Amino acid sequence: MKEIIINANPYEKRVALLENRLLTEIYIERRRSKRINGNIYKGRVARVLPGMQAAFVDIGIGRDAFLYVVDVIDPSLDYDKIMLSDDVDVIDTDEELIEEKSPSHYSGAAIEDLLKEGQEVLVQVSKEPLGTKGARVTTNITLPGRYLVFMPTVDHIGISRRIEDKAERARLRELISKLKKPNVGYIVRTVGEGKDEKHFRADIEYLSKLWENILIKSNSCSAPCLVHRELDILLKTLRDIFNNDIDHLVIDSKEEYDRCIEFLETFLPNLTDRVKLYTKPKPIFDEYDIERQIEDALSPKVWLKSGGYIVIDETEALIAIDVNTGKFVGETSLEETIFKINMEAIQEIVRQVRLRDLGGIIVIDFIDMESEENRTKLLQALEEELKRDRMRTKVLQLTELGLVEMTRKRIKQSLSNILTTPCPYCKGTGRVKSVLTICRTIQREIDRLAPTCKGDEILIKAHPNVAAFFYKQEDALLEYLEGKYNKRITVRSDPELHYEQYEIVVL
């Protein structure tokens, strides 16, 4: 069973996708920090960097966007060859597949031949700003519809790779060829499988008109300016996720419910009866146990039903996922125990990757198995489970150490980066000094201070845990310091102090 649960208010909208009541995807949009992925801007080239074959573009959001040479339209390139070549990176925008040539294999014009400083250029955000990096933009504009993606800057017809039936792919290609307008491109989305001409014709007419309006606005404004804003999270959900596979959609806002019905009556009238208005007094995310699952998704450790667990560690460069046996001891052989834990971990790993929206390089440290047959089964199970993920993933072979390297397209911040901020005390390390380390630091501070101070007493103010440790475990140290410096030393508990903070006062 698949359900979409939406919690909406004027300040925040949250969309949850449940599969058999388990939270698998969560999308959050806040009024103060709206997403810009998919937005189209008229920008101005701020700097051209020949050494990086890229340019910085001012799009008016405070931080310049990054434009690679491969994301600049080059009339000399044969787009069909790029799309069909083997050395390509795949960009997965929701579900449709759009391919681009990677920078290392690019053989077209140089960035300095395509762009000049001060030049105005129409660009679309393909990746949200992440950490210290600005947004990534492209001049290859794509406008997603319900059944296809419109590419007004390239002449091409593509079919989503998720449509595997050869006869259906041929039918769709022939159908789009008849509807296609000159010098533009279309990619049929997965939901277009089995659809007839009227569905695609409606999409083409709507998207063509939308593109005309974008060009009109672009010609009437000066850079930098926003010329097209992507649909908000609510309507984007209806366009990209809500389909016949979804049993029902429940929303707790009457105003947003009316917007949903209005949108569906125009584009998807057959799905309107699946939308329900939630009216109970209990918060909707509490009713469906979503709030708790979101909190669990912020913890690095995730327990498995068998007693094993996985640990997820996000770094700037990659994601590390570690599988552990935990409390599970198995029943027969060690190899069988390890195999069962690894197989159970796969489902939870994929769910957590989707839920936390983890992207980039992901390294999974499975428990090492000796059986080559079990290794093969494990890899096949992982690839099969990843088919549930709408984002494009690529899995490499299992190494002898039990490591699996995979990549997942990252177009926005992960869930933890959206909902949390680095700890102001540990500065994002996730650790603080031990009590013993703090005591030794205080000891060294007294060694520096005591020989030159004139008072007869030294007062140490410390966190209650540190103060208790001094009196219970380090009382001999206090006696040693008192005898060494001939001063009375007192430790006082101060709950207002941070765990690592202390004060030394000479009386």
Side-chain angles (χ1 to χ4, degrees):
M1 183 174 67
K2 290 185 178 181
E3 306 164 280
I4 294 176
I5 311 300
I6 301 177
N7 168 227
N9 61 60
Y11 301 94
E12 180 182 62
K13 293 183 180 70
R14 298 186 295 173
V15 177
L17 175 63
L18 304 184
E19 295 179 0
N20 295 323
R21 289 300 173 101
L22 280 178
L23 181 63
T24 54
E25 295 178 20
I26 182 77
Y27 302 94
I28 300 171
E29 183 177 85
R30 291 167 172 165
R31 191 171 70 175
R32 288 182 175 272
S33 55
K34 287 188 175 181
R35 292 180 57 186
I36 64 171
N37 193 59
N39 286 358
I40 299 175
Y41 296 85
K42 186 176 184 179
R44 179 176 283 106
V45 178
R47 289 180 62 196
V48 177
L49 309 172
M52 297 184 66
Q53 283 300 295
F56 285 115
V57 181
D58 178 11
I59 59 175
I61 62 172
R63 186 192 305 176
D64 289 347
F66 202 70
L67 177 62
Y68 280 111
V69 65
V70 294
D71 293 319
V72 183
I73 298 173
D74 181 358
S76 67
L77 292 181
D78 185 336
Y79 193 76
D80 281 340
K81 288 183 179 179
I82 295 178
M83 292 289 287
L84 298 175
S85 63
D86 292 326
D87 54 346
V88 295
D89 293 334
V90 178
I91 291 182
D92 194 348
T93 306
D94 298 315
E95 206 168 356
E96 66 277 8
L97 301 180
I98 305 167
E99 300 173 7
E100 67 173 4
K101 202 165 181 63
S102 63
S104 60
H105 296 91
Y106 179 78
S107 58
I111 189 71
E112 58 268 31
D113 297 329
L114 297 173
L115 296 175
K116 304 298 179 185
E117 289 188 12
Q119 178 180 341
E120 293 187 343
V121 58
L122 196 64
V123 295
Q124 183 175 36
V125 177
S126 61
K127 185 182 290 186
E128 298 268 344
L130 298 171
T132 58
K133 299 178 181 178
R136 180 170 174 176
V137 294
T138 176
T139 61
N140 294 297
I141 308 296
T142 58
L143 298 175
R146 174 62 179 176
Y147 302 108
L148 50 76
V149 177
F150 178 41
M151 301 183 295
T153 59
V154 294
D155 191 351
H156 179 79
I157 295 177
I159 311 293
S160 168
R161 287 182 181 174
R162 295 179 186 266
I163 300 176
E164 298 178 350
D165 184 83
K166 292 183 179 179
E168 175 63 8
R169 293 178 67 87
R171 183 190 76 85
L172 290 170
R173 188 176 294 277
E174 182 180 358
L175 177 59
I176 299 302
S177 296
K178 291 192 298 183
L179 298 174
K180 180 180 177 298
K181 297 182 178 182
N183 303 317
V184 296
Y186 302 97
I187 295 179
V188 178
R189 304 185 68 178
T190 306
V191 292
E193 186 173 8
K195 296 298 185 291
D196 56 24
E197 180 177 327
K198 68 177 182 180
H199 294 94
F200 295 109
R201 186 181 297 277
D203 253 13
I204 289 173
E205 291 177 357
Y206 166 73
L207 294 172
S208 297
K209 184 63 177 177
L210 176 60
W211 177 239
E212 289 177 13
N213 293 335
I214 288 171
L215 291 179
I216 291 172
K217 185 172 181 180
S218 174
N219 292 331
S220 63
C221 71
S222 59
C225 69
L226 172 68
V227 296
H228 170 71
R229 186 182 295 279
E230 172 65 305
L231 296 179
D232 70 9
I233 190 172
L234 185 65
L235 299 185
K236 194 171 186 294
T237 297
L238 298 179
R239 184 191 69 192
D240 297 338
I241 304 177
F242 194 41
N243 55 40
N244 289 319
D245 292 336
I246 305 297
D247 293 276
H248 56 258
L249 182 151
V250 187
I251 185 168
D252 63 355
S253 165
K254 180 63 168 63
E255 180 182 352
E256 300 299 343
Y257 168 82
D258 291 338
R259 285 183 67 214
C260 286
I261 296 299
E262 182 181 358
F263 182 89
L264 292 174
E265 285 178 344
T266 303
F267 298 100
L268 302 163
N270 61 309
L271 295 179
T272 53
D273 60 343
R274 301 193 186 189
V275 180
K276 310 295 180 186
L277 177 64
Y278 181 82
T279 57
K280 295 181 182 179
K282 187 177 183 180
I284 188 170
F285 269 30
D286 289 345
E287 176 72 17
Y288 287 87
D289 194 33
I290 298 172
E291 214 70 75
R292 178 193 62 81
Q293 295 186 66
I294 293 175
E295 287 297 319
D296 290 346
L298 299 177
S299 171
K301 180 180 286 188
V302 181
W303 287 97
L304 306 175
K305 291 182 179 179
S306 65
Y309 64 90
I310 62 175
V311 178
I312 302 173
D313 187 16
E314 290 186 55
T315 71
E316 187 172 346
L318 56 82
I319 311 296
I321 303 177
D322 186 31
V323 181
N324 297 275
T325 56
K327 304 173 184 177
F328 183 65
V329 295
E331 297 177 354
T332 54
S333 65
L334 174 61
E335 179 74 11
E336 186 65 21
T337 299
I338 294 173
F339 179 67
K340 285 183 177 180
I341 283 289
N342 283 338
M343 292 295 285
E344 183 187 8
I346 284 175
Q347 286 189 334
E348 191 60 39
I349 287 171
V350 173
R351 185 176 85 91
Q352 292 294 329
V353 165
R354 295 172 62 194
L355 173 56
R356 300 175 189 227
D357 207 1
L358 304 176
I361 299 172
I362 301 174
V363 178
I364 307 172
D365 183 9
F366 288 104
I367 305 171
D368 190 25
M369 298 178 296
E370 295 182 359
S371 169
E372 189 62 35
E373 180 183 357
N374 286 345
R375 288 168 173 256
T376 302
K377 288 180 180 178
L378 183 73
L379 205 59
Q380 291 174 345
L382 177 61
E383 292 175 338
E384 186 65 28
E385 192 67 23
L386 282 169
K387 290 181 179 180
R388 296 174 176 268
D389 193 356
R390 295 186 306 116
M391 286 295 170
R392 171 59 72 174
T393 57
K394 182 178 180 180
V395 180
L396 303 180
Q397 292 297 313
L398 187 69
T399 70
E400 293 184 1
L401 295 177
L403 298 176
V404 171
E405 297 174 354
M406 61 173 282
T407 59
R408 184 175 187 266
K409 189 61 188 177
R410 178 171 58 182
I411 61 173
K412 61 184 181 68
Q413 297 186 75
S414 67
L415 182 66
S416 65
N417 284 330
I418 292 173
L419 297 182
T420 66
T421 188
C423 171
Y425 297 114
C426 70
K427 307 300 183 185
T429 66
R431 304 182 68 85
V432 294
K433 294 177 181 178
S434 68
V435 174
L436 183 57
T437 298
I438 297 170
C439 287
R440 291 294 175 264
T441 302
I442 293 174
Q443 176 188 352
R444 287 189 288 272
E445 186 68 22
I446 291 175
D447 284 335
R448 284 190 289 268
L449 183 65
T452 57
C453 69
K454 298 180 179 180
D456 297 326
E457 182 178 353
I458 295 176
L459 172 63
I460 303 170
K461 296 180 181 179
H463 185 274
N465 289 6
V466 177
F469 189 84
F470 259 118
Y471 281 116
K472 293 179 180 179
Q473 305 291 333
E474 294 289 290
D475 52 332
L477 171 63
L478 294 177
E479 292 180 7
Y480 164 76
L481 291 173
E482 286 180 335
K484 181 177 181 180
Y485 297 112
N486 194 28
K487 299 179 187 296
R488 183 184 176 189
I489 299 177
T490 306
V491 181
R492 181 184 298 171
S493 172
D494 188 345
E496 297 296 323
L497 292 176
H498 172 252
Y499 193 81
E500 292 183 355
Q501 189 178 4
Y502 60 87
E503 294 179 13
I504 300 177
V505 182
V506 179
L507 301 175

